[in-house]
Amino acid sequence: FKSISAGAGDWIQIEECKEKNLLSWLVKRQEEGYTIVGLEQTSSSVSIENYEFPEKTVLLLGKEKEGIPVEFLQLVDQCV
């Protein structure tokens, strides 16, 4: 990451993971009890305004034009 807003690092844990390591990283987080939430428009996506994020959440963001690649989307518990 180049930067985050001032103070954001005080209340939210941000961790960057390279794409080549992402699949195993996501599986490990699920094993640790995290819910994987993808920011993606799908037929089963729910409104982000109405979604109750669990305390242990990984927010998965996709690429600007392509979105979340299918191999990662298959691990997502919910899309918003």
Side-chain angles (χ1 to χ4, degrees):
F1 296 105
K2 292 184 180 178
S3 66
I4 58 174
S5 67
D10 294 339
W11 57 273
I12 187 168
Q13 180 182 345
I14 297 176
E15 187 175 339
E16 182 179 11
C17 179
K18 300 292 182 190
E19 188 173 348
K20 66 180 181 176
N21 303 324
L22 187 55
L23 197 60
S24 62
W25 189 89
L26 289 172
V27 169
K28 184 176 180 185
R29 292 305 169 275
Q30 282 182 318
E31 291 170 352
E32 294 171 350
Y34 282 84
T35 299
I36 311 298
V37 178
L39 191 60
E40 184 74 42
Q41 292 180 350
T42 68
S43 60
S44 60
S45 293
V46 298
S47 169
I48 195 168
E49 294 175 350
N50 300 325
Y51 184 70
E52 293 259 347
F53 286 85
E55 186 173 329
K56 293 177 76 172
T57 297
V58 170
L59 184 60
L60 181 62
L61 308 176
K63 297 176 182 178
E64 187 173 353
K65 294 180 182 176
E66 297 90 15
I68 299 173
V70 174
E71 64 267 26
F72 305 132
L73 204 53
Q74 293 172 351
L75 288 175
V76 167
D77 297 300
Q78 180 65 60
C79 284
V80 294

